[in-house]
Amino acid sequence: MATQDYLAAIQRERDANARARAEGYESAAHKEAHANVGAQAAGFADAAAYERDANIRAQAAGFTSAVEQEMDANKRAIAAGFTSAVDQEIDANRRAREAGFLNAADYESGLRTL
């Protein structure tokens, strides 16, 4: 590896560590380990397998990737007056709980899980 490539790789790692620390992790490796634990709890080998599955499901829904699907959800949520799709879902869950349901999915299914 050329010196320039080596230095660029070091900078990418430093940048990844800085982003991870800004999100409350000790390092990029710590963030990745956390993602792997969550993916394994969901039945996947690791976070990469979980992401591949999300991409496959998004493609089945007509998107090129899970990222594109999330961007579309955020765009629609913002158009509806929310800051993001997550913000919209939090609001839907709050309203469903106020109506006596467990969450928005419970409300949408017609079940009444209290």
Side-chain angles (χ1 to χ4, degrees):
M1 177 182 275
T3 301
Q4 185 177 3
D5 293 337
Y6 178 71
L7 293 175
I10 290 171
Q11 188 58 51
R12 284 191 302 274
E13 186 69 20
R14 286 180 178 154
D15 293 345
N17 284 331
R19 287 190 305 273
R21 282 191 299 274
E23 294 176 26
Y25 295 96
E26 294 175 18
S27 65
H30 179 234
K31 180 179 178 180
E32 186 173 350
H34 184 261
N36 285 335
V37 168
Q40 290 165 352
F44 294 91
D46 55 24
Y50 182 81
E51 188 169 341
R52 282 190 298 276
D53 182 70
N55 285 331
I56 290 167
R57 287 182 283 113
Q59 290 165 354
F63 296 94
T64 59
S65 67
V67 169
E68 182 188 16
Q69 186 175 23
E70 183 72 14
M71 289 169 53
D72 179 70
N74 284 332
K75 186 168 80 174
R76 287 183 286 109
I78 290 167
F82 296 94
T83 59
S84 68
V86 170
D87 183 35
Q88 187 175 22
E89 180 141 353
I90 290 168
D91 182 69
N93 285 331
R94 179 192 53 76
R95 288 183 286 110
R97 282 191 303 275
E98 288 173 356
F101 293 89
L102 181 63
N103 56 36
D106 184 35
Y107 172 78
E108 290 167 2
S109 72
L111 299 174
R112 240 189 124 79
T113 308
L114 300 173

